[in-house]
Amino acid sequence: PGWGPGGPAAPDWHAAATRAGNAILATSPQLLIVVGGVDWGKDLTGAYHLPVRLQVPGRLVYSAHCYVWSYEELPNTYEALKARLGKAWGYLVQPDQPYTAPVFVSEFGTFSDCRHVSCSRWWPDFLRYLEEGDYDWAIWQGDGTYSLNSSPGHVFGEPTDYG
């Protein structure tokens, strides 16, 4: 989906999130409404010009994802990562803007063996970014091995190319 009107080939995620959030709040106004970004959750740039507006104020939380492989083209510096994330979703926490809302980073990580040059500094730089921006986050353990309930043919504990 896209953020905003984009025609039948690109459903409007902003409109869908707004409708769903308001429907939920109509029956349970005490709940928080968490709205993720597009492009695997890593892109909330559309909220800059078209923020989600809910009928109950103070109930919106944006959710972002961030993985090292999402930004492999970046120079391996904190400043480059900070600028890229600031444009993608970090700007949302700036006070007193039409788009201002908390950001919950619900997924993030690197490769389990950090086999790419781009991640040699990514982990400490990303954690620094979270701390300096006062973002909320949760960890999703992805250690790069198959779990007990993996697909047939996958052996528990064996390396996977995901995460």
Side-chain angles (χ1 to χ4, degrees), residues 32-46:
L32 293 175
I33 303 300
V34 181
V35 176
V38 296
D39 192 16
W40 301 98
K42 66 181 183 178
D43 181 3
L44 283 157
T45 56

Side-chain angles (χ1 to χ4, degrees), residues 45-117:
T45 56
Y48 185 84
H49 293 290
L50 189 60
V52 171
R53 298 266 188 247
L54 299 174
Q55 293 171 350
V56 180
R59 301 285 93 200
L60 174 66
V61 176
Y62 287 110
S63 173
H65 296 178
C66 187
Y67 291 96
V68 68
W69 54 84
S70 300
Y71 310 105
E72 292 186 67
E73 78 286 353
L74 284 179
N76 197 17
T77 67
Y78 175 72
E79 292 74 24
L81 182 66
K82 180 179 179 179
R84 179 65 179 93
L85 298 180
K87 289 178 185 174
W89 46 264
Y91 72 92
L92 290 164
V93 299
Q94 293 175 5
D96 304 319
Q97 298 297 318
Y99 49 74
T100 301
V103 174
F104 175 66
V105 184
S106 57
E107 290 184 22
F108 61 92
T110 66
F111 297 98
S112 61
D113 61 0
C114 204
R115 63 185 173 270
H116 292 329
V117 173

